[in-house]
Amino acid sequence: MVLLTGVALTAAACGGDSGVSQGASEPVDDPGTPATTAETPAIDDPASPGEDPPGPGGGPAGSEPTDDPAVSDNPPTDEPDDAPDELPDPAERDPRRFEPETLEWEPFRNGAELAMLAVPIDYRDPDGATTDLFVARRPATDPAGRIGSLLVNPGGPGFGGSVFAIFADQVYDEELLRHFDIVGWDPRGTGESEPAIDCIDDWDDYVGALDSSDDIAADNVALAQRFAEECERRNADLIQHVGTNNSARDMDVLRRALGEDTISYFGFSYGSVLGATWATLFPDTVRAAVLDGASDPEADRLESSLQQLAGFEASLGTFLDRCGANPSCPLHAGGDAGAAFDELMDDLHGSPIPSRPGRPDVGRGIATTAVIQAMYSEATWPQLERALGDAAAGDGSGLLDLYDRYYQRAPDGTYGDELEAFQVISCADRPERPTAEELAAETPLYVEVAPRLVPPDSEPSFFCTFMPPAIDPRIDVTGAGAGPIVVVGTTGDPATPFESTRAMAETLDDGRFVIVEADQHTGYGVNRCVVDLVNRYLVDLEAPADGTECG
């Protein structure tokens, strides 16, 4: 199996008695997709992954494994070029040298409006080629009480944010809907923005096939190289310009296009990193900012991956403990669900099981991806219980369904481009291009923090190894001069672990850390306490005390 060294980070569903009908990752009742016309491009509903998605080596890249990471016996001979020695001068990419055109809003459903916003592909050349951002707005329901616009982002990177404006009533509390125009956009290279990153057509050819490979080490390297080559070939003009810094610059252009001197922001998961980057680059434009679920902004590539992987391993442990304590759990095994899980994964590694006609057999790699997908929210745990029970009986279809959800596979067999964009954006942010030898030496560290998700014989994920150099790596975030920024951390968050989110709050110049007790990714909507706290801050600018707890 291949190490899943990155997992997409988007917000998880909210629940409980918070008054928020649905939280961050999917609208209720599958609202469907709008008709595709020249005026109203198609919108994909958001999915659940959230920060480093799988690379061609078998799983998301960045911070999490879902396919076994082991050491390759056939390291690549063609090592990638290193990133530039000198980092770019921020003044060379000042977005204020670009004057945005007026947004021309077209009515859409649910009271939303749509528009396109042209921004420079390369801010060093403000008069050069542009990319068009897809923007959605849901106007404030109380025009007399309108405060301004609230920019929102659900996470990723690689996932569009327009859907969070279109279905704002399923994500945000009525108090926010009354006072703010909810404005979501598909960040450059994602969703309905044009052009969008598109590297491959079928993840089964790059990930699913590895479970049945006769030479997984060699195939892992070859597929990673092919994936990177396809990404560069298909996205040559955009691939080095889709990093977080440029998305933050786009936010400043969007603010000016909306006619706001200062603006408010609410970001989930990777959206926290984006928001912190924006607040650091443009502190004088920040009215208020909420960051819900964040990675440690000062952690390097390896440390960040280990932190996130440890979070998923901890959530898996909680899941197995609960299964072992519940006789109705299909993997109960007389109370030792952990042993039953370990035995099943060993069996899948040696003998993959059938899934669905025309689809790959389910081995340990696909099963691990399925497990990680289910860890984003407790709401998915019953589905995982059934899938594991079916797999123990020789039916891999349930695990394949979760794997498909992770990779954004539609019922017609097509795939969304979210995880491709995730990888390209992540690598645009990271200057490191680790070699095969470096990755192989790191495998024992992953095994130590996540022995169930990363068995010792796992293959490394060449997530950024073969990608083009990062010409504009993400800046160090500080938030200096932006004022108080609220950072929400959930105690049982697997994707953005609690301590990583705390680190974000501590890194910011005036971070206000809010603690939410829950076993899910992101905390907004878990209870009335955190919803009211966010309302007071965004509406009345009453920032909570650092360390406030919402049980």
Side-chain angles (χ1 to χ4, degrees):
M1 132 177 166
V2 176
L3 172 61
L4 226 172
T5 54
V7 178
L9 298 182
T10 60
C14 302
D17 59 353
S18 63
V20 179
S21 62
Q22 180 78 5
S25 72
E26 314 177 344
V28 181
D29 296 331
D30 186 19
T33 57
T36 304
T37 69
E39 294 75 29
T40 60
I43 309 281
D44 290 330
D45 294 337
S48 73
E51 190 165 351
D52 266 358
S63 357
E64 256 181 297
T66 60
D67 288 78
D68 300 13
V71 178
S72 170
D73 294 327
N74 301 321
T77 56
D78 183 16
E79 297 296 356
D81 294 333
D82 291 330
D85 293 332
E86 296 185 5
L87 295 180
D89 179 0
E92 294 180 348
R93 293 175 166 85
D94 187 350
R96 298 175 204 199
R97 296 191 297 160
F98 176 79
E99 188 62 33
E101 296 181 356
T102 302
L103 290 167
E104 297 183 2
W105 297 103
E106 296 287 341
F108 192 54
R109 59 172 158 173
N110 290 359
E113 302 169 329
L114 307 180
M116 300 295 286
L117 175 67
V119 296
I121 288 179
D122 186 345
Y123 277 101
R124 294 173 299 185
D125 183 11
D127 298 321
T130 59
T131 180
D132 293 330
L133 305 183
F134 183 74
V135 185
R137 175 175 70 177
R138 180 180 172 120
T141 59
D142 178 9
R146 178 185 179 277
I147 293 171
S149 297
L150 177 64
L151 299 181
V152 298
N153 181 278
F159 290 77
S162 58
V163 71
F164 266 34
I166 294 170
F167 301 112
D169 59 330
Q170 298 183 31
V171 181
Y172 304 102
D173 188 63
E174 179 58 33
E175 184 75 0
L176 299 184
L177 300 178
R178 282 201 301 269
H179 291 291
F180 292 98
D181 295 344
I182 308 297
V183 178
W185 76 105
D186 294 350
R188 56 172 58 208
T190 75
E192 300 301 326
S193 291
E194 300 175 353
I197 296 295
D198 180 13
C199 299
I200 62 173
D201 299 320
D202 192 338
W203 278 104
D204 281 355
D205 294 339
Y206 287 81
V207 180
L210 287 169
D211 266 357
S212 301
S213 171
D214 294 328
D215 189 349
I216 189 172
D219 288 344
N220 183 33
V221 172
L223 289 172
Q225 289 175 315
R226 192 172 85 191
F227 181 90
E229 290 167 358
E230 284 298 294
C231 284
E232 191 163 10
R233 182 181 68 83
R234 296 190 186 190
N235 308 280
D237 295 337
L238 194 63
I239 191 168
Q240 291 182 293
H241 301 285
V242 292
T244 299
N245 293 344
N246 272 338
S247 281
R249 296 176 185 117
D250 294 343
M251 291 171 64
D252 189 67
V253 176
L254 177 57
R255 172 191 63 80
R256 289 185 286 127
L258 291 168
E260 311 262 2
D261 292 330
T262 62
I263 204 163
S264 303
Y265 177 78
F266 194 165
F268 297 94
S269 200
Y270 161 78
S272 295
V273 176
L274 175 59
T277 302
W278 163 70
T280 301
L281 286 172
F282 309 103
D284 57 320
T285 70
V286 179
R287 176 187 173 273
V290 177
L291 314 180
D292 188 354
S295 56
D296 182 348
E298 296 190 331
D300 62 17
R301 172 192 61 82
L302 175 59
E303 186 179 3
S304 177
S305 295
L306 292 171
Q307 288 173 352
Q308 192 184 40
L309 185 56
F312 277 92
E313 182 83 7
S315 292
L316 175 58
T318 301
F319 165 81
L320 292 172
D321 287 345
R322 293 187 187 179
C323 182
N326 178 11
S328 66
C329 178
L331 212 67
H332 177 255
D336 197 350
F341 176 85
D342 295 340
E343 181 179 357
L344 173 61
M345 298 300 273
D346 287 343
D347 290 344
L348 292 175
H349 181 50
S351 301
I353 59 176
S355 59
R356 299 190 187 281
R359 300 298 307 288
D361 289 345
V362 171
R364 189 172 62 182
I366 288 177
T368 305
T369 302
V371 169
I372 283 186
Q373 169 61 32
M375 288 301 103
Y376 280 96
S377 173
E378 283 185 274
T380 320
W381 290 8
Q383 181 183 356
L384 178 61
E385 290 178 2
R386 294 189 297 272
L388 291 171
D390 290 344
D395 177 4
S397 60
L399 290 175
L400 186 74
D401 289 344
L402 287 164
Y403 159 89
D404 283 347
R405 186 178 180 194
Y406 183 85
Y407 282 99
Q408 308 297 299
R409 189 176 192 270
D412 64 0
T414 60
Y415 289 84
D417 298 322
E418 290 87 353
L419 295 192
E420 295 143 66
F422 166 84
Q423 186 162 347
V424 169
I425 295 168
S426 297
C427 295
D429 280 354
R430 304 175 183 178
E432 308 96 335
R433 294 296 182 265
T435 65
E437 290 81 3
E438 291 169 335
L439 292 169
E442 294 169 357
T443 299
L445 302 177
Y446 290 104
V447 175
E448 182 178 355
V449 301
R452 282 197 164 106
L453 295 174
V454 189
D457 60 346
S458 299
E459 291 290 324
S461 172
F462 299 105
F463 191 66
C464 293
T465 297
F466 304 112
M467 287 291 187
I471 62 173
D472 186 20
R474 182 177 61 77
I475 64 165
D476 294 332
V477 303
T478 64
I485 295 176
V486 171
V487 181
V488 179
T490 306
T491 54
D493 191 328
T496 48
F498 181 74
E499 291 302 328
S500 298
T501 305
R502 185 197 297 274
M504 171 66 85
E506 293 174 347
T507 299
L508 293 170
D509 188 58
D510 189 7
R512 305 295 179 89
F513 191 47
V514 176
I515 302 165
V516 178
E517 294 281 344
D519 290 319
Q520 70 171 48
H521 180 39
T522 71
Y524 179 69
V526 164
N527 54 44
R528 197 66 234 176
C529 170
V530 67
V531 171
D532 289 343
L533 179 149
V534 168
N535 288 349
R536 286 194 299 273
Y537 169 63
L538 288 176
V539 174
D540 301 320
L541 297 181
E542 294 180 12
D546 188 36
T548 297
E549 297 186 15
C550 284

